[in-house]
Amino acid sequence: MREVDVLGVRVEMPTNHPIVLLRERDGGRYLPIWIGAAEAAAITYAQQGVVPPRPLTHDLMRDILAVLGHELTEVRIVALKDSVFHASLVIDGGKTEVSSRASDAIALALRTGAKVLVEPSILDEAAIVVSSEEDDEVEKFKEFLDHVSAEDFEGPTPEGEPGDRPDLPE
């Protein structure tokens, strides 16, 4: 498994769909994952340290784990099937694993400080390598992240959005 950093969320043009961008920690590859608007807002809130007046779903999940005496050790992005990323929540050092959408797993990892890991074969298949000429684009993206807020992602989420798991309820 390869550890990645969560760079942030942006809206991909022209489709207007949000993506979360992961960067391989010990390498030069970037992994874009298309996500829903609600998950984009949840990830952005966590990165900006926004504390809502009432817990959002990912805050609730974090709190339930803590109250029950469990710890989210790491999040693993384990499969890419039909353009859908599948993840696994590793709890208590591997005693328990729970299937998850990648976007939900990332949002929860950001709230708990858990590592985000990706199967090397997924990076080989779906990651992009940013050349030195494209470094300007990455810098522009980082600048964008400094100015984006979770409210930028509010609104209806289209049905069947890539990255969503149809077998898991919202």
Side-chain angles (χ1 to χ4, degrees):
M1 297 294 274
R2 302 295 307 247
E3 188 168 0
V4 295
D5 294 316
V6 181
L7 292 185
V9 175
R10 70 172 284 186
V11 175
E12 182 67 21
M13 299 307 280
T15 63
N16 226 20
H17 288 226
I19 64 167
V20 60
L21 187 62
L22 308 177
R23 179 182 60 206
E24 186 177 24
R25 184 160 284 181
D26 296 322
R29 297 182 288 183
Y30 293 78
L31 183 64
I33 299 176
W34 278 257
I35 61 175
E39 292 77 16
I43 290 168
T44 302
Y45 276 157
Q47 288 193 307
Q48 293 179 350
V50 174
V51 178
R54 300 289 302 145
L56 299 176
T57 303
H58 301 98
D59 302 310
L60 177 63
M61 291 172 62
R62 176 203 58 213
D63 295 347
I64 288 171
L65 284 169
V67 165
L68 294 175
H70 298 287
E71 177 186 13
L72 179 65
T73 310
E74 61 191 36
V75 162
R76 297 177 183 163
I77 299 175
V78 296
L80 176 58
K81 299 176 187 170
D82 299 321
S83 300
V84 176
F85 290 89
H86 299 254
S88 181
L89 305 174
V90 179
I91 300 168
D92 296 335
K95 291 181 183 176
T96 304
E97 287 194 33
V98 178
S99 179
S100 172
R101 296 186 304 180
S103 55
D104 289 327
I106 292 166
L108 189 56
L110 289 171
R111 285 166 170 74
T112 62
K115 292 180 188 180
V116 179
L117 305 170
V118 179
E119 277 290 337
S121 61
I122 295 171
L123 289 168
D124 293 342
E125 180 180 345
I128 57 174
V129 177
V130 177
S131 68
S132 58
E133 300 89 45
E134 295 171 310
D135 278 342
D136 273 351
E137 278 299 310
V138 173
E139 288 307 314
K140 287 178 188 175
F141 178 62
K142 289 179 183 176
E143 185 176 321
F144 166 82
L145 293 176
D146 291 337
H147 297 88
V148 71
S149 71
E151 288 79 28
D152 295 331
F153 302 104
E154 291 180 353
T157 303
E159 283 292 317
E161 181 143 348
D164 283 348
R165 293 268 312 270
D167 58 324
L168 292 177
E170 287 294 330

